[in-house]
Each structure stands twice: as C-alpha cells, then as structure tokens.
Amino acid sequence: MLNQIDLSRIDLNLLVLFRVVLEERHVARAAARLSLTPSAVSHALGRLRLLLNDPLFLRTPKGVVPTARALELGEPVAEIIARVERLIGSAAPFNPQTSSRRS
C-alpha cells in the first residue's frame, strides 16, 4: 500500500514531547517537565521534524515559535494523547488474590 506507515518504527513518545514543547514554547522548560536534558529534547525534535517533514519550531532568543504545521497538529496530538490516557486509565488494576489467571 502506498504511503503506509509502520507505527512499530515510530516512537509515540515524540507526540508527548511535541505537546509539551508546544505548550512551553521553550526547549529547556519542556525538558525540565519531561525529566530530560535539553539536548535530548532537541534530538527528539530532530527525529520528529524528519518524520513530519516540517521544522515544527523555529528558534528565537526567547524560546521557540511553532510553525503553522505545528499549530495545525496541536489539537489532534492533544486528542490522541488524551484518548491513550483514557484507555490506559480505564484498565482495572491487577489483583493476584482474586485473579483466575494461570501461568
């Protein structure tokens, strides 16, 4: 199939990083929120730029400014993350005392 994307080769944590950088508009502050180094955030943004074929954020003396494409992606990315959080959050906790599972 033409233009089929192999999600197994994509780090979906890049979406979380994208959202935080978009909110903070500053790589170092985003890094602090994510418990990463600014260098790690910059390298991850580089991978995301290649993946999305857009610079996404432009450096300024006061931080970063999102491109039009980054602004366009902001809401869909936030929705995807919220859906994953709801999906994971809805899982019942495992209780070994009441479980009928066998190994």
Side-chain angles (χ1 to χ4, degrees):
M1 193 183 281
L2 191 63
N3 294 331
Q4 187 172 2
I5 297 171
D6 181 5
L7 286 178
S8 68
R9 300 188 65 192
I10 298 171
D11 180 357
L12 296 179
N13 288 311
L14 293 174
L15 297 181
V16 174
L17 182 131
F18 170 82
R19 181 184 65 170
V20 173
V21 174
L22 186 62
E23 289 172 357
E24 292 293 337
R25 304 285 211 273
H26 198 276
V27 171
R29 286 195 302 263
R33 272 184 59 187
L34 295 164
S35 299
L36 297 171
T37 65
S39 178
V41 171
S42 291
H43 287 287
L45 282 175
R47 292 192 307 276
L48 196 54
R49 287 177 175 118
L50 288 174
L51 182 65
L52 297 173
N53 196 30
D54 189 88
L56 299 174
F57 299 97
L58 306 174
R59 289 184 183 98
T60 71
K62 294 183 178 185
V64 293
V65 175
T67 63
R69 177 76 171 133
L71 291 173
E72 177 183 297
L73 291 170
E75 186 62 31
V77 167
E79 289 173 13
I80 290 166
I81 292 169
R83 289 182 76 177
V84 170
E85 287 172 341
R86 284 192 304 274
L87 175 72
I88 301 299
S90 69
F94 176 71
N95 183 342
Q97 293 176 336
T98 61
S99 175
S100 60
R101 290 189 225 172
R102 302 283 181 232
S103 58

